[in-house]
Amino acid sequence: MKKKFAPFFEPDSVAIIGASATPGRPGHEAIRNILANDYAGKLYLVNPRGGEILGIPVLQSIAALPKGIDLAIIILPAKDTPQALRECADRGIRHAVLSAGGFAEVDDYGANIQQETIEIIREKNMRVLGPNTSGHTSTPHNFTSTFFPLGKIRRGRVSYIAQTGNFATHTMKYILTGEHFGVSRVIGLGNKIDVDETEALEYLADDSETTAIIMYLESIKRPRKFLEVAREVTRVKPVIVLKSGSTDAGKYAAVAHTAAMAAEDRLIDALLRQAGVVRIWDYTHLILAGKALSMMPLPKGNRVSFLAPSGAMLVVLADLCIRLGLEVPDVQPETVRRLEEISPPFIRMRNPVDIWASASVHGVEFGYGQGMEAVMKDPNIDAVVPIMMLTKDTGIPPYDFIVELAKKYPAKPLFVTFSADKKYMDECKDFVEPRGVPTFPEIEQPFEVLSILYRCTRAMNRSR
Amino acid sequence: MKKKFAPFFEPDSVAIIGASATPGRPGHEAIRNILANDYAGKLYLVNPRGGEILGIPVLQSIAALPKGIDLAIIILPAKDTPQALRECADRGIRHAVLSAGGFAEVDDYGANIQQETIEIIREKNMRVLGPNTSGHTSTPHNFTSTFFPLGKIRRGRVSYIAQTGNFATHTMKYILTGEHFGVSRVIGLGNKIDVDETEALEYLADDSETTAIIMYLESIKRPRKFLEVAREVTRVKPVIVLKSGSTDAGKYAAVAHTAAMAAEDRLIDALLRQAGVVRIWDYTHLILAGKALSMMPLPKGNRVSFLAPSGAMLVVLADLCIRLGLEVPDVQPETVRRLEEISPPFIRMRNPVDIWASASVHGVEFGYGQGMEAVMKDPNIDAVVPIMMLTKDTGIPPYDFIVELAKKYPAKPLFVTFSADKKYMDECKDFVEPRGVPTFPEIEQPFEVLSILYRCTRAMNRSR
């Protein structure tokens, strides 16, 4: 599998068919993305006009390409795509990304072109991503076929499979501008006339650059095979899926979006469960779970400790934990002793931890730092969430103690969230995230994500 | 009621008992807050040391105060509070805020002091907020008793009742630094030995400066009376309640937090329903619902239109709407015609609206602007949510068109959320929110909040 897909993810040579000299055009931005990512292989450009684009000479026909290029990125209108694909095959190219839309997702005319394309793939024995895909990305190989202007894509260890062009475009832009984590492989499936979610999953299962897999799906093309593959992968890597189109309104919206009508949702749900896949429901969790898995290990169990500067938050969040299937257990007597030691006299402490008094009297760094360490050490606790109290008047701590604690206890997820001054929330995020500690803007989110990760743990540990 | 509580919310004269010259101390920060809010009444400070604080002369005893001051803010340790309260009564002060903690929420010793305080209140016929309250706020009167350093508190039209000191402190700090909306009255109930949620609600019901009421409660002191009052208020103003302690873990956490054990949750839930109160579950929604109600009217119904730059988002969000009790109906033929008119040829349009093509070809301002106007005009639609596509490469629009549309269709909630570049998301938020259009960082949030607001609409329209 790994070898089979190497031309997609580790191409030594790439041709862009439909290269454009005009900034903003997909055929131009694809080149800029490849250059911005420091792709080390050979890059060929094809456009009948010839000339030069961004310093690279342009060939006037596919026929002018050298033989045996690994991968073609075809950025041409739908109607011109089959012919280009055929010509690529004739130059010995066996792998292609078909970027254009205008196929079966649009109308009957497009459906005909799509059918023609399928026949070429079969006849020429090719492997194709798309059509109607915004491309794919392989940061370990410094490569992307994405035509949406992204610039340098941050490298990470989580991979995404997305049956939507949005992920590799707007969502990736958000991740690059609003977050600090990166990705390993991103696979935009498009209309998946050839490579589908099952094959993509199979590839990522074997991929040493991928430690967790997150998918957005609207349908599953080969459910039986998917189940077979997913059942194995989920024992070694977390697999999280947002499968949409679960309601009638969702399905209705899906028809217009991709050519595939959303499959019957209840069957899919049962299948995902059986496969050990963790299903999620919010688009935002695609991002937040990716962040968590990029920085932290899975929790060994569901026993959470959290520290808040407010009794109200303790109560609301304890309620939330229960709703999410997380436990908020008692900590060990030794931990209680330590928590009381760091608090003003006569304050009784337990889990969840009201850290207000300690942080107010002894400072935020001492109160949170010592309190977090006490619960991170505790064998009754699988994950720790501090709701950091950040306001200038109680003193903004140097944030390194958070990073140090995460390093000292690498087996336990540490998820940070905030209360009070937005300026320092942003500052803390920008400090700790590049150093490996994920933060979450809303206080409910770390618990939502922990619950997702705990379901991954259970899936990985399930009996055969 | 209004007159009865005027000394709390419209005091002409205020005394701080326990004024402090030391920055950071509650007795100091309370003075600074009052000054920062441009309180126009008379302010007296009391501290045995005398002297001057922030330019205001300090009286050495309560006995030295003039007669008949409207309100005393007593910022003294619990043990000294009863005596101070008695002395205040002797100077004709009938209203007091008791800021100290250390009462029944802590131990038996504190419980005894609390009981003594209750007896003084009865004997002297006083009205008291607290103890263990971080204070209250009344922006229409430029006044606050809060001792947490907040500076100028932004004025708004939504009022909060909170059985937690956190709201008037860290959460308010967040609202002031991370949001653009303001508040009208904020009432920190504390241990509510006198003024409780029912009386606070009764006051806000009649308050012309309050258009909506949001509460955080851990218990309801007089359920029957609360039901009686709430049943009427909810017909004229939205009342939203986060009642925590719904699970055993939550209750367990609540014991340590306030003196009141969380009441049996299922009974409370039934009571809230019967009262027309809209119950929420997330702390974050206290803030987001407050923002929405500060800027937008309630939706007349649950029929939503949304515009997204991604089919995947359309499908996921349509699913979400159904789960939240919102409808995503067909729009009128005329609206469809208009949506198709503004899109490239041959693209079929409907609700939810895939605005990608139009915005890509004609620009974000035209695509979104015309698309939003089409659905805002549509009588089948009660609320509109654009998921703004903001990335420099497709062009960042001037944001005024969003504000103009909100002004042109003031009867329909317009909630904005984002996709793509974080920098422009922040920029857009900072432009439209001060001009009355709420934005939400996560794409699910506008729908969650619309669902809360729609439940308010139903409560207001329910039959007797």
Side-chain angles (χ1 to χ4, degrees):
Chain A
M1 195 70 206
K2 193 162 167 48
K3 218 175 133 196
K4 195 167 82 175
F5 270 17
F8 283 120
F9 295 100
E10 300 160 42
D12 288 329
S13 50
V14 172
I16 297 180
I17 318 302
S20 166
T22 313
R25 298 296 303 269
H28 186 82
E29 298 303 327
I31 308 169
R32 289 173 54 121
N33 280 333
I34 288 173
L35 298 178
N37 281 278
D38 307 313
Y39 170 62
K42 283 182 194 140
L43 178 60
Y44 300 94
L45 307 182
V46 177
N47 185 311
R49 291 184 200 172
E52 198 175 86
I53 300 172
L54 297 167
I56 303 166
V58 180
L59 303 171
Q60 289 184 288
S61 70
I62 296 171
L65 284 169
K67 274 271 181 184
I69 286 173
D70 281 342
L71 180 69
I73 306 169
I74 302 181
I75 310 181
L76 293 174
K79 67 174 177 40
D80 302 326
T81 294
Q83 179 55 26
L85 193 60
R86 213 175 262 123
E87 291 177 26
C88 283
D90 293 344
R91 295 308 293 161
I93 300 176
R94 290 198 53 243
H95 294 78
V97 177
L98 308 185
S99 302
F103 290 83
E105 82 281 6
V106 168
D107 55 17
D108 286 349
Y109 176 71
N112 286 337
I113 305 174
Q114 183 161 312
Q115 190 50 43
E116 191 189 344
T117 310
I118 291 170
E119 281 154 22
I120 297 165
I121 294 169
R122 284 203 193 122
E123 185 197 320
K124 305 285 187 183
N125 196 23
M126 300 185 82
R127 301 312 318 266
V128 159
L129 257 182
N132 188 25
T133 173
S134 53
H136 74 298
T137 288
S138 176
T139 57
H141 200 67
N142 294 325
F143 178 70
T144 182
S145 65
T146 305
F147 58 75
F148 185 88
L150 287 178
K152 177 78 177 168
I153 301 168
R154 224 179 285 121
R155 185 168 176 176
R157 65 193 200 194
V158 173
S159 291
Y160 284 90
I161 301 171
Q163 190 180 347
T164 164
N166 180 268
F167 195 88
T169 58
H170 289 86
T171 300
M172 189 55 66
K173 186 77 183 177
Y174 167 74
I175 290 173
L176 293 174
T177 56
E179 302 290 348
H180 297 94
F181 70 101
V183 293
S184 180
R185 326 281 187 184
V186 177
I187 308 169
L189 294 173
N191 291 3
K192 51 188 185 184
I193 58 174
D194 181 37
V195 175
D196 64 10
E197 55 283 347
T198 302
E199 266 190 306
L201 184 62
E202 221 173 347
Y203 167 72
L204 294 176
D206 287 342
D207 178 22
S208 61
E209 300 289 344
T210 296
T211 58
I213 301 158
I214 304 183
M215 311 173 85
Y216 171 80
L217 296 177
E218 284 173 4
S219 62
I220 296 179
K221 202 174 164 188
R222 296 177 293 152
R224 200 169 308 184
K225 183 69 182 166
F226 182 88
L227 175 59
E228 190 190 311
V229 171
R231 199 142 49 180
E232 294 308 312
V233 194
T234 52
R235 293 187 191 282
V236 287
K237 295 180 185 182
V239 179
I240 294 169
V241 168
L242 174 58
K243 159 68 182 63
S244 73
S246 63
T247 64
D248 285 340
K251 278 185 203 169
Y252 186 65
V255 182
H257 175 217
T258 61
M261 173 74 185
E264 185 52 44
D265 190 67
R266 254 179 280 180
L267 290 174
I268 297 279
D269 199 64
L271 183 147
L272 294 177
R273 259 172 229 273
Q274 223 186 320
V277 168
V278 171
R279 186 172 187 179
I280 59 173
W281 302 91
D282 287 352
Y283 198 89
T284 298
H285 288 161
L286 288 174
I287 301 166
L288 296 183
K291 166 150 80 174
L293 288 164
S294 298
M295 302 185 189
M296 285 288 153
L298 292 182
K300 299 247 185 315
N302 68 342
R303 300 166 307 168
V304 181
S305 177
F306 56 95
L307 307 91
S310 144
M313 285 181 178
L314 291 177
V315 187
V316 174
L317 295 174
D319 281 353
L320 176 70
C321 283
I322 301 311
R323 289 204 305 279
L324 290 170
L326 301 171
E327 275 181 60
V328 190
D330 281 327
V331 284
Q332 296 207 327
E334 201 186 311
T335 308
V336 172
R337 263 198 304 279
R338 179 63 186 144
L339 291 172
E340 294 186 345
E341 218 170 79
I342 63 164
S343 301
F346 310 116
I347 295 194
R348 290 181 55 191
M349 301 292 283
R350 59 171 157 188
N351 185 38
V353 183
D354 191 337
I355 202 68
W356 160 256
S358 179
S360 298
V361 172
H362 302 302
V364 172
E365 183 176 6
F366 181 87
Y368 276 85
Q370 299 298 315
M372 284 156 68
E373 178 143 25
V375 293
M376 288 195 89
K377 262 185 193 166
D378 193 300
N380 288 3
I381 296 301
D382 301 309
V384 173
V385 181
I387 294 97
M388 294 298 305
M389 171 176 120
L390 295 179
T391 161
K392 213 172 174 185
D393 308 280
T394 37
I396 301 299
Y399 305 117
D400 358 26
F401 81 91
I402 303 171
V403 178
E404 293 311 313
L405 278 172
K407 277 188 198 150
K408 197 163 168 189
Y409 302 94
K412 286 189 192 181
L414 174 63
F415 288 9
V416 174
T417 182
F418 309 106
S419 176
D421 198 320
K422 179 69 162 60
K423 179 180 162 193
Y424 300 104
M425 297 180 186
D426 292 345
E427 193 182 270
C428 183
K429 172 178 171 151
D430 290 344
F431 184 90
V432 303
E433 289 200 344
R435 294 167 178 82
V437 183
T439 73
F440 300 83
E442 319 286 8
I443 62 171
E444 291 83 8
Q445 290 168 339
F447 301 93
E448 292 166 8
V449 174
L450 268 178
S451 156
I452 293 168
L453 263 50
Y454 170 61
R455 289 161 61 207
C456 295
T457 304
R458 280 198 309 182
M460 289 179 71
N461 297 338
R462 74 195 190 278
S463 55
R464 285 198 178 257
Chain B
M1 195 70 207
K2 194 164 164 44
K3 217 176 133 197
K4 195 167 79 173
F5 270 17
F8 282 120
F9 295 100
E10 301 161 41
D12 286 330
S13 49
V14 173
I16 298 182
I17 317 301
S20 166
T22 312
R25 300 295 303 271
H28 186 83
E29 298 304 326
I31 307 169
R32 287 171 57 120
N33 281 333
I34 288 173
L35 299 178
N37 280 278
D38 308 313
Y39 171 62
K42 283 182 196 140
L43 177 61
Y44 299 94
L45 307 183
V46 176
N47 186 311
R49 291 183 202 174
E52 200 175 86
I53 301 173
L54 297 166
I56 304 166
V58 180
L59 304 172
Q60 288 183 289
S61 69
I62 296 172
L65 285 170
K67 274 269 180 185
I69 286 172
D70 280 342
L71 181 70
I73 307 170
I74 302 181
I75 311 182
L76 294 174
K79 67 174 176 42
D80 301 327
T81 294
Q83 178 56 23
L85 193 61
R86 212 175 263 125
E87 291 177 25
C88 284
D90 292 344
R91 295 309 294 161
I93 299 175
R94 289 198 53 244
H95 294 78
V97 177
L98 307 186
S99 301
F103 290 82
E105 82 281 6
V106 169
D107 55 16
D108 286 348
Y109 176 72
N112 285 337
I113 306 174
Q114 184 161 314
Q115 190 51 42
E116 191 190 342
T117 311
I118 292 171
E119 279 154 23
I120 297 166
I121 294 169
R122 284 205 194 121
E123 185 197 319
K124 304 285 186 183
N125 196 22
M126 300 184 83
R127 301 312 318 266
V128 159
L129 256 182
N132 188 25
T133 174
S134 53
H136 75 297
T137 289
S138 177
T139 58
H141 198 68
N142 295 325
F143 178 70
T144 182
S145 65
T146 305
F147 58 76
F148 186 87
L150 287 177
K152 177 79 179 168
I153 301 169
R154 223 179 284 119
R155 185 168 175 175
R157 65 193 199 193
V158 174
S159 291
Y160 283 89
I161 301 171
Q163 190 179 346
T164 164
N166 180 268
F167 196 88
T169 59
H170 289 87
T171 300
M172 189 55 65
K173 187 76 183 177
Y174 168 73
I175 291 174
L176 294 173
T177 56
E179 302 289 349
H180 297 95
F181 70 101
V183 293
S184 181
R185 326 280 186 183
V186 177
I187 309 170
L189 294 174
N191 291 2
K192 52 188 187 184
I193 58 173
D194 180 38
V195 175
D196 64 9
E197 55 282 347
T198 302
E199 267 190 307
L201 184 62
E202 220 173 347
Y203 167 71
L204 294 176
D206 285 343
D207 178 23
S208 61
E209 298 290 342
T210 296
T211 58
I213 301 158
I214 303 184
M215 310 172 87
Y216 171 79
L217 295 178
E218 285 174 3
S219 62
I220 296 181
K221 200 172 163 188
R222 295 177 292 153
R224 199 172 306 185
K225 182 69 182 169
F226 182 88
L227 175 60
E228 190 191 310
V229 171
R231 198 142 50 181
E232 294 308 312
V233 192
T234 52
R235 293 188 192 282
V236 287
K237 295 180 186 182
V239 179
I240 294 170
V241 168
L242 174 57
K243 159 67 183 64
S244 73
S246 63
T247 65
D248 285 339
K251 276 185 203 170
Y252 187 64
V255 182
H257 176 217
T258 62
M261 174 75 186
E264 187 51 45
D265 190 68
R266 255 180 279 181
L267 290 174
I268 296 279
D269 199 63
L271 182 148
L272 295 177
R273 258 172 229 273
Q274 221 186 322
V277 168
V278 171
R279 187 172 184 177
I280 58 174
W281 303 90
D282 287 351
Y283 198 89
T284 298
H285 287 161
L286 287 174
I287 300 167
L288 296 183
K291 167 150 80 174
L293 287 164
S294 298
M295 303 184 187
M296 286 286 154
L298 291 182
K300 299 247 184 314
N302 67 342
R303 300 167 307 168
V304 180
S305 176
F306 56 95
L307 307 91
S310 146
M313 285 181 180
L314 292 177
V315 187
V316 174
L317 295 175
D319 281 352
L320 176 69
C321 283
I322 301 311
R323 289 205 303 280
L324 291 171
L326 301 171
E327 275 181 60
V328 189
D330 282 326
V331 285
Q332 296 208 325
E334 201 187 312
T335 308
V336 173
R337 264 199 302 281
R338 180 62 188 146
L339 290 172
E340 294 186 345
E341 219 170 80
I342 63 163
S343 301
F346 309 115
I347 294 193
R348 290 180 55 192
M349 300 291 284
R350 60 170 156 184
N351 185 41
V353 183
D354 191 337
I355 202 68
W356 161 257
S358 178
S360 299
V361 173
H362 302 300
V364 172
E365 182 175 7
F366 181 88
Y368 275 85
Q370 299 299 314
M372 283 157 67
E373 176 142 28
V375 293
M376 288 195 89
K377 260 185 193 165
D378 192 300
N380 287 3
I381 296 301
D382 301 309
V384 173
V385 180
I387 293 98
M388 295 299 304
M389 171 177 119
L390 295 179
T391 160
K392 212 173 175 184
D393 309 279
T394 37
I396 301 299
Y399 306 118
D400 359 24
F401 80 92
I402 303 170
V403 177
E404 292 312 313
L405 277 172
K407 277 189 198 150
K408 198 164 166 188
Y409 301 93
K412 285 188 193 181
L414 174 63
F415 287 8
V416 174
T417 182
F418 308 106
S419 177
D421 198 320
K422 179 68 161 60
K423 179 180 162 191
Y424 300 103
M425 297 180 185
D426 291 345
E427 192 182 271
C428 183
K429 171 179 172 153
D430 290 344
F431 185 91
V432 303
E433 289 201 343
R435 293 167 178 82
V437 183
T439 73
F440 300 84
E442 319 286 9
I443 63 171
E444 290 83 8
Q445 289 169 340
F447 301 94
E448 292 167 7
V449 174
L450 267 177
S451 156
I452 293 168
L453 264 48
Y454 170 61
R455 289 162 62 208
C456 295
T457 305
R458 279 198 311 182
M460 289 179 71
N461 297 339
R462 73 195 192 279
S463 55
R464 285 197 178 253

